[in-house]
Amino acid sequence: MVGSDARSLVMPAAIRRRIFFALVLLVVLAAANLGIRAMGRSPAPAGEGWVISKVINGATLSAAPANNLLQPEKRLILEGLRAPLRDQRPWGEAAARRLEELVGIKDKERKILTVETDLTVRDDRDRLLVYLWDGDRLINELLLREGLVTANFQTANTKYQDRFRRAQAEARILERGVWNPREPLREFMRRRRP
């Protein structure tokens, strides 16, 4: 009886092969997934270091190049974004506060962040159109993913549009920030041009 019990515990060779191949397939898929994730994270691009001194709203900053802080500050616009105005409660203030946290103003860190430009460097009001990086994190994309701003695809600068589309879609599906149906952002107020 002991011998027959031991044989009943032994798996047939065909089942062992299937389990082996399933495990190999699982390992290959896991490795491929890690590779895809690693590809999705971009290293910080070559760009200029800037120090942010003030957040105007969820997509506009005042800053100076880190290599010459005595130079007059310039306005930077986070490319590909539309931010609610500060008085569009609660999202305008929330977007500005979150941007202050991300750039280190709230903690008075005075971080040096990397500024990357695209095809069109300035807008019609001479503000720099930028992608803002903190190490390998694209701040423009983070604000979209958190639902604090919306994407603006009506621009010549398209370098990260696919990433921005995915980030905004994630925020919409998960009903984050301005996409929250209980507190939606009504409409963007139109700024009067001087």
Side-chain angles (χ1 to χ4, degrees), residues 41-52 61 63 75-80 112-122 127-141 157-161 163-164:
R41 288 192 69 138
S42 300
E48 239 185 294
W50 285 66
V51 176
I52 310 302
L61 310 143
R75 287 283 166 99
L76 309 179
I77 303 294
L78 297 183
E79 182 58 79
I112 296 177
L113 302 172
T114 303
V115 166
E116 178 186 15
T117 57
D118 206 339
L119 299 172
T120 304
V121 176
R122 296 181 183 279
R127 301 175 298 186
L128 289 172
L129 303 171
V130 304
Y131 302 110
L132 191 61
W133 293 84
D134 182 10
D136 65 349
R137 298 185 323 159
L138 180 55
I139 291 176
N140 310 48
E141 182 181 24
N157 293 336
T158 61
K159 186 170 189 175
Y160 297 110
Q161 270 192 1
R163 288 175 71 157
F164 291 175

Side-chain angles (χ1 to χ4, degrees), residues 7-21:
R7 270 184 267 156
S8 65
L9 295 176
V10 175
M11 244 184 272
I15 293 176
R16 283 196 312 258
R17 276 193 299 272
R18 285 183 186 158
I19 290 173
F20 174 76
F21 286 120

Side-chain angles (χ1 to χ4, degrees), residues 8 13 71 82-83 94 102 113 118 123 174:
S8 65
Q71 180 178 335
R82 290 181 64 214
L102 290 169
L113 302 172
D118 206 339
D123 69 2
L174 297 175

Side-chain angles (χ1 to χ4, degrees), residues 48-194:
E48 239 185 294
W50 285 66
V51 176
I52 310 302
S53 61
K54 183 177 178 183
V55 169
I56 311 304
N57 64 38
T60 308
L61 310 143
S62 187
N67 63 0
N68 188 358
L69 293 175
L70 298 177
Q71 180 178 335
E73 291 188 347
K74 299 203 182 329
R75 287 283 166 99
L76 309 179
I77 303 294
L78 297 183
E79 182 58 79
L81 306 184
R82 290 181 64 214
L85 301 175
R86 279 192 183 254
D87 58 357
Q88 285 183 284
R89 306 219 188 283
W91 303 118
E93 192 59 39
R97 275 195 321 267
R98 180 64 174 135
L99 185 55
E100 286 173 349
E101 288 172 14
L102 290 169
V103 300
I105 287 178
K106 201 164 191 157
D107 303 327
K108 296 180 177 33
E109 281 183 49
R110 304 281 293 179
K111 289 182 187 178
I112 296 177
L113 302 172
T114 303
V115 166
E116 178 186 15
T117 57
D118 206 339
L119 299 172
T120 304
V121 176
R122 296 181 183 279
D123 69 2
D124 58 345
R125 294 166 62 187
D126 203 37
R127 301 175 298 186
L128 289 172
L129 303 171
V130 304
Y131 302 110
L132 191 61
W133 293 84
D134 182 10
D136 65 349
R137 298 185 323 159
L138 180 55
I139 291 176
N140 310 48
E141 182 181 24
L142 286 172
L143 292 169
L144 281 166
R145 182 163 278 113
E146 293 175 9
L148 296 171
V149 296
T150 60
N152 174 19
F153 298 118
Q154 297 175 343
T155 175
N157 293 336
T158 61
K159 186 170 189 175
Y160 297 110
Q161 270 192 1
D162 290 339
R163 288 175 71 157
F164 291 175
R165 282 184 207 286
R166 286 191 300 271
Q168 180 165 283
E170 179 183 318
R172 285 183 84 168
I173 289 167
L174 297 175
E175 298 178 345
R176 292 180 184 144
V178 300
W179 306 107
N180 179 341
R182 290 175 297 288
E183 277 190 285
L185 178 65
R186 298 285 175 222
E187 251 186 71
F188 279 97
M189 296 177 179
R190 300 282 181 227
R191 293 181 176 93
R192 282 183 245 161
R193 305 292 297 248

